Amino acid sequence: MRTIVCVEPGVLEKHELDKPVPKAGEVVVKIKSIGICGTDIHAFGGNQPFFSYPRVLGHELSGIIESVGEGSQLPVGQSVYIIPYLSCGECIACRNGKPNCCTDINVLGVHRDGGMCEYLCVPETAVVKSEGLDFNDLAVIECLAIGAHAVRRANISEQDTVLVLGAGPIGIGALQFAQVAGAKVLISDVKEDKLKFCQEKYNVAGTVNALGDVEAQLAELTQGEFPTVIIDCTGNVSAMKAAFTQLAHGGTIVFVSVVKGEISFTDTEFHKRETTLLGSRNATLQDFEHVVACLKSGQVSSQALVTHTAKFSDLIESFQTWVKPESGVIKAVVEMD
Ligand SMILES: [Zn+2]
Ligand SMILES: [Zn+2]
């Protein structure tokens, strides 16, 4: 089977590998669509922490069950999406219903080989049956689920004014699910074209240019009250630090993006607001199911998110153009051919 391997940073190669055979508890999925994510881009660029090469990238996956291991109840031919976070099921986090932050988490395409291949063998618990959505929609569920999880973490309601920092695919996901929850949503980014995109496609309540005087813009947009929830999707230390002084009193900060550096804050700013500070990692089945329901009802759309598509046979060529910022990619999807 055709497989694209990231053999070292900056180098993708086409390899011919054997089609996998599922053992008991496993299924082989014939991959149909692969969403390309910031993680893949960073891994290709060599700046993804805890990453080893060679690695098959790709964790946003949909497909059809090709074969099943002994004893599996899953039907061959069934369309599925894959939850790429393989958890141990036994650690403190797993026992407490939080497999998304398992102490021994294995993410497809990160810690073990992912789905840039024709057939992928995964534990059967990692596949979810799905009807009524096309394979490209199924492939972006994971990306949207990250935003949905952050919104759920913060318990967002129609009372909230939410500021999403960063208008990349994760930020746009968070924006949409905050709107589904009924909140008034503001979006901030350093790029005017991305802000304009969010204004046109998602009718946000306001946009904030992160290169300008952010506090002044927020004061104006919120009548001096500031956002009750700030969701950071920037991966930028200074944006994350600034959130502590841009928040409404009684408000909540959710850090979705991960940075290597240290985040510091002034305790008086933190305390006077009685700030709630939350980390948000990956997503759970509950979030994936919420995404599917919202895609089916049309409350959330993948259409505006997916700006570029390519065929699997052109993946290497296309990927090299998508990593350049001037390509304007928000989200790319690769279709198996
Ligand atoms: Zn992803
Ligand atoms: Zn665990």
Side-chain angles (χ1 to χ4, degrees):
M1 63 165 183
R2 292 172 294 157
T3 304
I4 308 291
V5 185
C6 187
V7 289
E8 58 180 90
V11 183
L12 292 173
E13 282 180 6
K14 193 176 279 179
H15 290 193
E16 200 60 41
L17 300 178
D18 291 338
K19 187 173 163 181
V21 178
K23 295 199 279 285
E26 293 178 338
V27 296
V28 168
V29 177
K30 181 178 166 62
I31 300 295
K32 296 291 284 182
S33 295
I34 308 157
I36 305 297
C37 175
T39 306
D40 304 313
I41 307 263
H42 293 309
F44 177 77
N47 42 25
Q48 182 75 358
F50 317 117
F51 215 86
S52 63
Y53 302 84
R55 179 64 69 223
V56 179
L57 306 177
H59 60 272
E60 302 185 357
L61 304 164
S62 65
I64 294 171
I65 295 186
E66 171 79 5
S67 57
V68 300
E70 210 187 304
S72 175
Q73 301 298 314
L74 286 164
V76 170
Q78 170 71 48
S79 60
V80 295
Y81 64 88
I82 295 177
I83 297 185
Y85 328 120
L86 309 183
S87 54
C88 77
E90 290 166 9
C91 74
I92 176 98
C94 287
R95 293 202 312 277
N96 287 333
K98 293 177 74 78
N100 57 308
C101 58
C102 169
T103 60
D104 194 24
I105 201 160
N106 254 297
V107 180
L108 294 173
V110 178
H111 306 99
R112 59 186 256 171
D113 284 344
M116 286 189 184
C117 58
E118 286 180 277
Y119 300 96
L120 183 67
C121 187
V122 291
E124 65 176 334
T125 49
V127 304
V128 183
K129 291 195 228 177
S130 191
E131 319 282 350
L133 290 174
D134 67 34
F135 289 111
N136 285 4
D137 270 356
L138 293 176
V140 299
I141 291 174
E142 189 267 346
C143 175
L144 291 168
I146 306 276
H149 186 68
V151 167
R152 186 160 67 85
R153 289 280 284 146
N155 214 356
I156 288 168
S157 73
E158 53 282 347
Q159 314 296 333
D160 285 306
T161 298
V162 177
L163 169 64
V164 175
L165 304 175
I170 302 289
I172 289 176
L175 176 170
Q176 293 194 78
F177 289 100
Q179 287 181 330
V180 168
K184 174 181 164 183
V185 183
L186 313 172
I187 185 120
S188 149
D189 202 277
V190 293
K191 296 217 173 92
E192 269 302 332
D193 58 331
K194 286 193 176 175
L195 295 175
K196 198 161 158 256
F197 177 86
C198 292
Q199 190 70 72
E200 282 166 6
K201 298 280 183 186
Y202 300 108
N203 194 26
V204 288
T207 61
V208 175
N209 188 319
L211 298 175
D213 183 340
V214 173
E215 281 185 31
Q217 295 174 73
L218 287 175
E220 197 184 319
L221 286 165
T222 62
Q223 289 76 48
E225 292 189 326
F226 291 91
T228 55
V229 179
I230 299 181
I231 302 178
D232 170 75
C233 307
T234 61
N236 180 294
V237 172
S238 43
M240 293 165 89
K241 280 183 179 170
F244 290 90
T245 58
Q246 295 166 351
L247 184 70
H249 281 232
T252 299
I253 297 171
V254 190
F255 285 158
V256 182
S257 63
V258 189
V259 291
K260 275 186 182 172
E262 287 187 11
I263 309 292
S264 59
F265 56 87
T266 305
D267 188 51
T268 49
E269 297 291 341
F270 180 78
H271 255 96
K272 76 180 181 191
R273 290 175 174 77
E274 198 180 55
T275 305
T276 301
L277 176 61
L278 299 168
S280 184
R281 187 173 185 200
N282 299 329
T284 65
L285 179 61
Q286 185 182 344
D287 302 308
F288 279 78
E289 286 176 340
H290 181 50
V291 173
V292 169
C294 289
L295 282 170
K296 283 187 176 169
S297 68
Q299 283 175 288
V300 159
S301 138
S302 68
Q303 243 83 64
L305 200 61
V306 178
T307 50
H308 294 64
T309 55
K311 296 290 176 203
F312 188 72
S313 49
D314 302 325
L315 194 162
I316 295 179
E317 218 171 47
S318 303
F319 198 87
Q320 270 145 359
T321 66
W322 295 336
V323 296
K324 298 185 184 131
E326 62 268 27
S327 66
V329 169
I330 291 181
K331 180 129 221 101
V333 173
V334 177
E335 296 165 347
M336 192 54 72
D337 57 354

